[in-house]
Short mmCIF file of all heavy atoms in Angstrom, two decimals:
data_model
loop_
_atom_site.label_atom_id
_atom_site.label_comp_id
_atom_site.label_asym_id
_atom_site.label_seq_id
_atom_site.Cartn_x
_atom_site.Cartn_y
_atom_site.Cartn_z
N MET A 36 52.75 8.20 42.90
CA MET A 36 53.57 9.36 43.30
C MET A 36 54.65 8.89 44.29
O MET A 36 54.32 8.30 45.31
CB MET A 36 52.66 10.42 43.96
CG MET A 36 53.38 11.72 44.23
SD MET A 36 52.34 12.90 45.11
CE MET A 36 51.60 13.79 43.76
N ASN A 37 55.89 9.14 43.97
CA ASN A 37 56.94 8.72 44.91
C ASN A 37 57.20 9.81 45.95
O ASN A 37 56.61 10.89 45.91
CB ASN A 37 58.22 8.32 44.17
CG ASN A 37 58.88 9.49 43.46
OD1 ASN A 37 58.80 10.62 43.93
ND2 ASN A 37 59.51 9.22 42.35
N ARG A 38 58.10 9.49 46.87
CA ARG A 38 58.25 10.36 48.03
C ARG A 38 58.76 11.77 47.65
O ARG A 38 58.28 12.77 48.16
CB ARG A 38 59.21 9.71 49.03
CG ARG A 38 59.31 10.54 50.27
CD ARG A 38 59.94 9.76 51.42
NE ARG A 38 60.05 10.68 52.52
CZ ARG A 38 59.07 10.95 53.37
NH1 ARG A 38 57.92 10.33 53.24
NH2 ARG A 38 59.23 11.82 54.33
N SER A 39 59.72 11.85 46.73
CA SER A 39 60.25 13.17 46.41
C SER A 39 59.23 13.99 45.64
O SER A 39 59.15 15.20 45.81
CB SER A 39 61.57 13.05 45.66
OG SER A 39 61.35 12.53 44.38
N ASP A 40 58.39 13.33 44.83
CA ASP A 40 57.29 14.05 44.19
C ASP A 40 56.35 14.62 45.24
O ASP A 40 55.90 15.76 45.15
CB ASP A 40 56.49 13.11 43.28
CG ASP A 40 57.16 12.90 41.94
OD1 ASP A 40 58.11 13.64 41.64
OD2 ASP A 40 56.74 12.00 41.21
N PHE A 41 56.06 13.80 46.23
CA PHE A 41 55.15 14.22 47.28
C PHE A 41 55.71 15.43 48.03
O PHE A 41 55.02 16.40 48.28
CB PHE A 41 54.92 13.05 48.24
CG PHE A 41 54.08 13.41 49.43
CD1 PHE A 41 52.71 13.56 49.29
CD2 PHE A 41 54.66 13.58 50.67
CE1 PHE A 41 51.94 13.90 50.39
CE2 PHE A 41 53.90 13.91 51.77
CZ PHE A 41 52.53 14.07 51.63
N GLU A 42 57.01 15.35 48.36
CA GLU A 42 57.62 16.46 49.09
C GLU A 42 57.66 17.73 48.26
O GLU A 42 57.43 18.83 48.76
CB GLU A 42 59.03 16.06 49.54
CG GLU A 42 58.95 15.09 50.71
CD GLU A 42 60.32 14.57 51.11
OE1 GLU A 42 61.31 14.89 50.44
OE2 GLU A 42 60.37 13.84 52.12
N ARG A 43 57.92 17.55 46.97
CA ARG A 43 57.94 18.74 46.10
C ARG A 43 56.54 19.35 46.02
O ARG A 43 56.37 20.56 46.10
CB ARG A 43 58.43 18.35 44.71
CG ARG A 43 58.63 19.53 43.80
CD ARG A 43 59.46 19.17 42.59
NE ARG A 43 59.05 17.91 41.97
CZ ARG A 43 57.97 17.77 41.19
NH1 ARG A 43 57.23 18.81 40.90
NH2 ARG A 43 57.65 16.60 40.69
N ALA A 44 55.52 18.50 45.90
CA ALA A 44 54.15 19.00 45.84
C ALA A 44 53.80 19.76 47.11
O ALA A 44 53.14 20.80 47.07
CB ALA A 44 53.19 17.84 45.62
N CYS A 45 54.25 19.24 48.25
CA CYS A 45 53.98 19.92 49.52
C CYS A 45 54.64 21.29 49.55
O CYS A 45 54.02 22.27 49.96
CB CYS A 45 54.51 19.09 50.69
SG CYS A 45 53.49 17.67 51.05
N ARG A 46 55.89 21.34 49.10
CA ARG A 46 56.58 22.63 49.09
C ARG A 46 55.89 23.62 48.17
O ARG A 46 55.74 24.79 48.51
CB ARG A 46 58.04 22.44 48.64
CG ARG A 46 58.98 22.11 49.79
CD ARG A 46 60.41 22.38 49.40
NE ARG A 46 60.80 21.65 48.20
CZ ARG A 46 61.24 20.40 48.18
NH1 ARG A 46 61.32 19.73 49.31
NH2 ARG A 46 61.58 19.82 47.06
N GLU A 47 55.45 23.14 47.00
CA GLU A 47 54.77 24.04 46.08
C GLU A 47 53.47 24.55 46.68
O GLU A 47 53.13 25.73 46.56
CB GLU A 47 54.50 23.32 44.75
CG GLU A 47 55.77 23.27 43.90
CD GLU A 47 55.58 22.38 42.67
OE1 GLU A 47 54.45 21.93 42.43
OE2 GLU A 47 56.58 22.14 41.98
N GLN A 48 52.74 23.66 47.33
CA GLN A 48 51.49 24.09 47.96
C GLN A 48 51.76 25.12 49.04
O GLN A 48 51.04 26.10 49.17
CB GLN A 48 50.77 22.89 48.57
CG GLN A 48 49.88 22.21 47.57
CD GLN A 48 49.02 21.15 48.22
OE1 GLN A 48 49.29 20.72 49.34
NE2 GLN A 48 48.00 20.73 47.53
N ASN A 49 52.81 24.88 49.84
CA ASN A 49 53.14 25.84 50.89
C ASN A 49 53.52 27.19 50.30
O ASN A 49 53.11 28.23 50.81
CB ASN A 49 54.29 25.32 51.74
CG ASN A 49 53.82 24.27 52.72
OD1 ASN A 49 52.64 24.21 53.05
ND2 ASN A 49 54.73 23.45 53.20
N ALA A 50 54.30 27.16 49.22
CA ALA A 50 54.71 28.41 48.60
C ALA A 50 53.50 29.16 48.06
O ALA A 50 53.40 30.38 48.20
CB ALA A 50 55.71 28.13 47.48
N GLU A 51 52.56 28.42 47.46
CA GLU A 51 51.34 29.06 46.97
C GLU A 51 50.55 29.67 48.11
O GLU A 51 50.03 30.79 48.00
CB GLU A 51 50.48 28.04 46.22
CG GLU A 51 50.87 27.89 44.78
CD GLU A 51 50.12 26.76 44.11
OE1 GLU A 51 48.97 26.49 44.50
OE2 GLU A 51 50.69 26.14 43.20
N ALA A 52 50.43 28.94 49.20
CA ALA A 52 49.68 29.45 50.34
C ALA A 52 50.35 30.69 50.92
O ALA A 52 49.68 31.67 51.25
CB ALA A 52 49.55 28.36 51.41
N ASP A 53 51.68 30.67 50.99
CA ASP A 53 52.41 31.84 51.48
C ASP A 53 52.16 33.04 50.58
O ASP A 53 51.93 34.15 51.05
CB ASP A 53 53.91 31.56 51.51
CG ASP A 53 54.31 30.73 52.71
OD1 ASP A 53 53.45 30.56 53.60
OD2 ASP A 53 55.45 30.28 52.76
N LYS A 54 52.20 32.82 49.27
CA LYS A 54 52.00 33.92 48.33
C LYS A 54 50.58 34.47 48.47
O LYS A 54 50.37 35.67 48.49
CB LYS A 54 52.24 33.42 46.92
CG LYS A 54 52.18 34.54 45.91
CD LYS A 54 52.52 34.05 44.52
CE LYS A 54 52.51 35.21 43.53
NZ LYS A 54 51.34 36.09 43.65
N ARG A 55 49.60 33.56 48.56
CA ARG A 55 48.21 33.99 48.72
C ARG A 55 48.07 34.87 49.96
O ARG A 55 47.42 35.90 49.94
CB ARG A 55 47.30 32.78 48.86
CG ARG A 55 46.28 32.69 47.76
CD ARG A 55 45.18 31.69 47.97
NE ARG A 55 45.37 30.70 48.99
CZ ARG A 55 45.81 29.48 48.77
NH1 ARG A 55 46.14 29.10 47.56
NH2 ARG A 55 45.93 28.63 49.76
N ARG A 56 48.72 34.44 51.05
CA ARG A 56 48.58 35.19 52.30
C ARG A 56 49.26 36.55 52.20
O ARG A 56 48.72 37.55 52.66
CB ARG A 56 49.16 34.41 53.46
CG ARG A 56 48.26 33.27 53.86
CD ARG A 56 48.78 32.60 55.11
NE ARG A 56 48.13 31.31 55.25
CZ ARG A 56 48.79 30.17 55.30
NH1 ARG A 56 50.09 30.14 55.27
NH2 ARG A 56 48.13 29.04 55.42
N SER A 57 50.46 36.59 51.60
CA SER A 57 51.13 37.90 51.53
C SER A 57 50.40 38.82 50.57
O SER A 57 50.31 40.02 50.82
CB SER A 57 52.60 37.74 51.18
OG SER A 57 52.74 37.16 49.93
N ASP A 58 49.82 38.28 49.49
CA ASP A 58 48.99 39.11 48.62
C ASP A 58 47.78 39.62 49.39
O ASP A 58 47.42 40.80 49.28
CB ASP A 58 48.49 38.29 47.42
CG ASP A 58 49.58 38.10 46.38
OD1 ASP A 58 50.64 38.75 46.52
OD2 ASP A 58 49.37 37.33 45.44
N ALA A 59 47.15 38.76 50.15
CA ALA A 59 45.96 39.15 50.90
C ALA A 59 46.30 40.24 51.91
O ALA A 59 45.51 41.16 52.14
CB ALA A 59 45.37 37.93 51.62
N ARG A 60 47.49 40.15 52.49
CA ARG A 60 47.90 41.19 53.45
C ARG A 60 48.09 42.52 52.75
O ARG A 60 47.67 43.57 53.25
CB ARG A 60 49.20 40.78 54.14
CG ARG A 60 48.95 39.63 55.11
CD ARG A 60 50.23 39.10 55.70
NE ARG A 60 49.95 37.86 56.42
CZ ARG A 60 50.82 37.24 57.19
NH1 ARG A 60 52.02 37.71 57.34
NH2 ARG A 60 50.47 36.14 57.80
N LYS A 61 48.75 42.50 51.59
CA LYS A 61 48.96 43.73 50.83
C LYS A 61 47.64 44.36 50.41
O LYS A 61 47.48 45.56 50.45
CB LYS A 61 49.77 43.42 49.56
CG LYS A 61 51.25 43.36 49.80
CD LYS A 61 52.04 43.64 48.52
CE LYS A 61 51.77 42.63 47.42
NZ LYS A 61 52.60 41.42 47.54
N ASP A 62 46.71 43.52 49.96
CA ASP A 62 45.46 44.02 49.40
C ASP A 62 44.41 44.32 50.46
O ASP A 62 43.31 44.73 50.12
CB ASP A 62 44.87 42.99 48.43
CG ASP A 62 45.79 42.75 47.25
OD1 ASP A 62 46.70 43.56 47.06
OD2 ASP A 62 45.59 41.75 46.55
N SER A 63 44.72 44.08 51.72
CA SER A 63 43.72 44.22 52.77
C SER A 63 42.46 43.44 52.43
O SER A 63 41.35 43.95 52.51
CB SER A 63 43.37 45.68 53.02
OG SER A 63 44.49 46.37 53.51
N ALA A 64 42.65 42.22 52.00
CA ALA A 64 41.51 41.36 51.70
C ALA A 64 40.70 41.12 52.96
O ALA A 64 41.24 41.17 54.06
CB ALA A 64 42.00 40.03 51.13
N PRO A 65 39.40 40.89 52.79
CA PRO A 65 38.57 40.66 53.97
C PRO A 65 38.97 39.38 54.70
O PRO A 65 39.33 38.39 54.07
CB PRO A 65 37.15 40.54 53.42
CG PRO A 65 37.29 40.39 51.96
CD PRO A 65 38.63 40.88 51.55
N CYS A 66 38.94 39.44 56.02
CA CYS A 66 39.30 38.29 56.82
C CYS A 66 38.26 37.19 56.73
O CYS A 66 37.08 37.46 56.61
CB CYS A 66 39.44 38.70 58.29
SG CYS A 66 40.83 39.80 58.57
N VAL A 67 38.73 35.97 56.76
CA VAL A 67 37.84 34.82 56.93
C VAL A 67 38.26 34.17 58.24
O VAL A 67 39.27 33.49 58.32
CB VAL A 67 37.96 33.82 55.78
CG1 VAL A 67 37.06 32.62 56.02
CG2 VAL A 67 37.61 34.50 54.46
N VAL A 68 37.50 34.47 59.30
CA VAL A 68 37.89 34.06 60.64
C VAL A 68 37.11 32.82 61.05
O VAL A 68 35.90 32.76 60.91
CB VAL A 68 37.65 35.19 61.66
CG1 VAL A 68 38.01 34.74 63.06
CG2 VAL A 68 38.47 36.42 61.26
N VAL A 69 37.86 31.83 61.50
CA VAL A 69 37.23 30.64 62.07
C VAL A 69 37.66 30.53 63.53
O VAL A 69 38.68 31.10 63.92
CB VAL A 69 37.63 29.36 61.30
CG1 VAL A 69 37.13 29.42 59.86
CG2 VAL A 69 39.13 29.15 61.34
N THR A 70 36.89 29.81 64.30
CA THR A 70 37.24 29.61 65.69
C THR A 70 37.97 28.28 65.84
O THR A 70 37.47 27.24 65.41
CB THR A 70 35.96 29.61 66.56
OG1 THR A 70 35.28 30.83 66.35
CG2 THR A 70 36.31 29.48 68.03
N MET A 71 39.17 28.35 66.40
CA MET A 71 39.98 27.15 66.56
C MET A 71 39.67 26.51 67.91
O MET A 71 40.30 26.84 68.92
CB MET A 71 41.46 27.50 66.48
CG MET A 71 41.85 28.23 65.22
SD MET A 71 41.92 27.15 63.79
CE MET A 71 43.54 26.44 64.04
N PHE A 72 38.71 25.59 67.89
CA PHE A 72 38.32 24.96 69.15
C PHE A 72 39.45 24.10 69.70
O PHE A 72 39.59 23.93 70.91
CB PHE A 72 37.05 24.13 68.95
CG PHE A 72 35.86 24.97 68.65
CD1 PHE A 72 35.31 25.01 67.37
CD2 PHE A 72 35.29 25.76 69.64
CE1 PHE A 72 34.21 25.80 67.09
CE2 PHE A 72 34.19 26.55 69.37
CZ PHE A 72 33.66 26.57 68.09
N ALA A 73 40.27 23.59 68.81
CA ALA A 73 41.40 22.76 69.24
C ALA A 73 42.43 23.58 70.03
O ALA A 73 43.24 23.02 70.75
CB ALA A 73 42.07 22.11 68.04
N PHE A 74 42.39 24.90 69.85
CA PHE A 74 43.33 25.78 70.56
C PHE A 74 42.62 26.66 71.57
O PHE A 74 42.96 27.83 71.75
CB PHE A 74 44.11 26.64 69.56
CG PHE A 74 45.03 25.84 68.67
CD1 PHE A 74 44.61 25.44 67.42
CD2 PHE A 74 46.29 25.48 69.12
CE1 PHE A 74 45.45 24.69 66.60
CE2 PHE A 74 47.13 24.73 68.31
CZ PHE A 74 46.71 24.34 67.05
N GLY A 75 41.59 26.12 72.17
CA GLY A 75 40.90 26.85 73.23
C GLY A 75 39.92 27.88 72.70
O GLY A 75 39.53 28.79 73.42
N GLY A 76 39.50 27.73 71.44
CA GLY A 76 38.47 28.61 70.90
C GLY A 76 38.97 29.98 70.48
O GLY A 76 38.20 30.92 70.38
N ILE A 77 40.28 30.10 70.19
CA ILE A 77 40.78 31.40 69.73
C ILE A 77 40.46 31.57 68.25
O ILE A 77 40.35 30.59 67.52
CB ILE A 77 42.29 31.57 69.97
CG1 ILE A 77 43.09 30.59 69.13
CG2 ILE A 77 42.63 31.44 71.44
CD1 ILE A 77 44.55 30.95 69.07
N PRO A 78 40.30 32.83 67.81
CA PRO A 78 40.02 33.07 66.39
C PRO A 78 41.26 32.89 65.52
O PRO A 78 42.38 33.18 65.96
CB PRO A 78 39.55 34.53 66.37
CG PRO A 78 40.13 35.16 67.58
CD PRO A 78 40.31 34.07 68.60
N TYR A 79 41.05 32.41 64.30
CA TYR A 79 42.14 32.25 63.35
C TYR A 79 41.69 32.79 62.00
O TYR A 79 40.65 32.39 61.48
CB TYR A 79 42.53 30.78 63.23
CG TYR A 79 43.54 30.50 62.15
CD1 TYR A 79 44.88 30.84 62.34
CD2 TYR A 79 43.16 29.93 60.93
CE1 TYR A 79 45.82 30.60 61.34
CE2 TYR A 79 44.10 29.69 59.94
CZ TYR A 79 45.42 30.02 60.15
OH TYR A 79 46.34 29.79 59.16
N CYS A 80 42.46 33.73 61.44
CA CYS A 80 42.12 34.30 60.15
C CYS A 80 42.73 33.45 59.04
O CYS A 80 43.95 33.39 58.91
CB CYS A 80 42.61 35.74 60.05
SG CYS A 80 42.38 36.41 58.41
N GLN A 81 41.87 32.81 58.29
CA GLN A 81 42.36 31.93 57.21
C GLN A 81 42.93 32.73 56.06
O GLN A 81 43.85 32.30 55.38
CB GLN A 81 41.20 31.06 56.69
CG GLN A 81 40.74 30.04 57.69
CD GLN A 81 39.66 29.14 57.11
OE1 GLN A 81 38.77 29.61 56.42
NE2 GLN A 81 39.74 27.87 57.39
N THR A 82 42.38 33.90 55.82
CA THR A 82 42.86 34.72 54.70
C THR A 82 44.31 35.09 54.89
O THR A 82 45.12 35.01 53.97
CB THR A 82 42.03 36.00 54.58
OG1 THR A 82 40.65 35.65 54.47
CG2 THR A 82 42.44 36.80 53.36
N HIS A 83 44.65 35.54 56.09
CA HIS A 83 45.98 36.08 56.33
C HIS A 83 46.87 35.15 57.14
O HIS A 83 48.03 35.47 57.41
CB HIS A 83 45.86 37.43 57.03
CG HIS A 83 45.02 38.39 56.25
ND1 HIS A 83 43.73 38.73 56.62
CD2 HIS A 83 45.27 39.06 55.10
CE1 HIS A 83 43.24 39.57 55.72
NE2 HIS A 83 44.14 39.79 54.79
N GLY A 84 46.34 34.02 57.57
CA GLY A 84 47.14 33.07 58.33
C GLY A 84 47.56 33.61 59.68
O GLY A 84 48.71 33.45 60.09
N VAL A 85 46.63 34.29 60.37
CA VAL A 85 46.96 34.92 61.64
C VAL A 85 46.09 34.33 62.74
O VAL A 85 44.88 34.24 62.59
CB VAL A 85 46.71 36.45 61.57
CG1 VAL A 85 46.91 37.10 62.93
CG2 VAL A 85 47.65 37.08 60.55
N MET A 86 46.72 33.95 63.82
CA MET A 86 45.97 33.50 64.98
C MET A 86 45.74 34.66 65.92
O MET A 86 46.64 35.47 66.14
CB MET A 86 46.76 32.42 65.72
CG MET A 86 46.16 31.05 65.50
SD MET A 86 46.90 29.85 66.57
CE MET A 86 46.89 28.47 65.45
N GLY A 87 44.54 34.75 66.46
CA GLY A 87 44.21 35.89 67.32
C GLY A 87 43.72 37.05 66.48
O GLY A 87 43.43 36.88 65.30
N PRO A 88 43.62 38.23 67.08
CA PRO A 88 43.11 39.39 66.36
C PRO A 88 43.97 39.67 65.12
O PRO A 88 45.18 39.79 65.21
CB PRO A 88 43.23 40.53 67.38
CG PRO A 88 43.31 39.87 68.70
CD PRO A 88 43.96 38.53 68.47
N CYS A 89 43.32 39.78 63.96
CA CYS A 89 44.07 39.92 62.71
C CYS A 89 44.27 41.40 62.38
O CYS A 89 43.31 42.15 62.30
CB CYS A 89 43.31 39.23 61.58
SG CYS A 89 44.17 39.39 60.01
N PRO A 90 45.51 41.83 62.21
CA PRO A 90 45.79 43.23 61.94
C PRO A 90 45.72 43.60 60.47
O PRO A 90 45.89 44.76 60.12
CB PRO A 90 47.23 43.39 62.45
CG PRO A 90 47.85 42.06 62.19
CD PRO A 90 46.75 41.04 62.38
N TYR A 91 45.48 42.61 59.58
CA TYR A 91 45.64 42.89 58.15
C TYR A 91 44.36 43.27 57.43
O TYR A 91 44.36 44.07 56.53
CB TYR A 91 46.23 41.67 57.44
CG TYR A 91 47.62 41.36 57.92
CD1 TYR A 91 47.86 40.29 58.74
CD2 TYR A 91 48.68 42.17 57.53
CE1 TYR A 91 49.14 40.01 59.19
CE2 TYR A 91 49.95 41.91 57.98
CZ TYR A 91 50.17 40.81 58.81
OH TYR A 91 51.43 40.55 59.24
N GLY A 92 43.26 42.64 57.81
CA GLY A 92 42.05 42.76 57.01
C GLY A 92 41.38 44.11 57.19
O GLY A 92 41.71 44.90 58.05
N THR A 93 40.41 44.35 56.30
CA THR A 93 39.58 45.53 56.45
C THR A 93 38.66 45.33 57.65
O THR A 93 37.93 44.36 57.72
CB THR A 93 38.74 45.76 55.19
OG1 THR A 93 38.41 44.51 54.63
CG2 THR A 93 39.51 46.57 54.17
N GLN A 94 38.78 46.23 58.58
CA GLN A 94 37.95 46.13 59.77
C GLN A 94 36.63 46.85 59.51
O GLN A 94 36.61 47.99 59.11
CB GLN A 94 38.65 46.78 60.97
CG GLN A 94 40.03 46.24 61.21
CD GLN A 94 40.01 44.78 61.66
OE1 GLN A 94 39.09 44.37 62.34
NE2 GLN A 94 41.02 44.02 61.27
N ARG A 95 35.56 46.11 59.72
CA ARG A 95 34.24 46.68 59.45
C ARG A 95 33.42 46.75 60.71
O ARG A 95 33.41 45.83 61.49
CB ARG A 95 33.50 45.81 58.44
CG ARG A 95 33.91 46.18 57.04
CD ARG A 95 33.11 45.39 56.04
NE ARG A 95 33.94 45.17 54.86
CZ ARG A 95 33.85 44.08 54.11
NH1 ARG A 95 33.00 43.17 54.42
NH2 ARG A 95 34.63 43.95 53.08
N GLY A 96 32.71 47.85 60.84
CA GLY A 96 31.70 47.94 61.88
C GLY A 96 32.23 48.13 63.28
O GLY A 96 31.46 48.26 64.22
N SER A 97 33.56 48.15 63.44
CA SER A 97 34.07 48.34 64.80
C SER A 97 34.14 49.83 65.12
O SER A 97 34.11 50.66 64.23
CB SER A 97 35.44 47.69 64.94
OG SER A 97 36.33 48.22 64.00
N LYS A 98 34.24 50.11 66.36
CA LYS A 98 34.29 51.47 66.88
C LYS A 98 32.93 52.08 67.15
O LYS A 98 32.00 51.85 66.43
CB LYS A 98 35.04 52.41 65.96
CG LYS A 98 35.93 53.31 66.79
CD LYS A 98 36.64 54.35 65.92
CE LYS A 98 37.99 54.62 66.48
NZ LYS A 98 38.74 55.52 65.69
ZN1 LIG B 188 42.84 38.64 58.41
#
């Protein structure tokens, strides 16, 4: 794989990830939250690509 192939593949992957996230936001997909220990233990929603409290997902059990 040469360099421009690699860069194109990266862009395609990024575009796919962006699309997945915007679809997930529209659909109110359930959050998949991990703790980012590298950033001081703050939560990060992998589904929606949001750091900190995620405003997109279906909130369950709160209140
Ligand atoms: Zn989320």
Side-chain angles (χ1 to χ4, degrees):
M36 188 184 269
N37 66 33
R38 184 165 177 83
S39 69
D40 280 348
F41 176 75
E42 285 175 355
R43 187 164 45 78
C45 285
R46 272 199 303 276
E47 282 172 7
Q48 273 188 344
N49 282 339
E51 275 173 31
D53 281 350
K54 186 176 182 314
R55 242 192 345 264
R56 286 186 196 122
S57 62
D58 283 351
R60 288 174 190 189
K61 277 204 299 276
D62 297 345
S63 296
C66 293
V67 178
V68 178
V69 296
T70 303
M71 304 285 279
F72 292 107
F74 293 95
I77 65 166
Y79 173 75
C80 173
Q81 291 183 319
T82 305
H83 304 106
V85 174
M86 254 190 216
C89 179
Y91 296 106
T93 34
Q94 306 293 327
R95 276 184 211 147
S97 58
K98 222 184 214 177

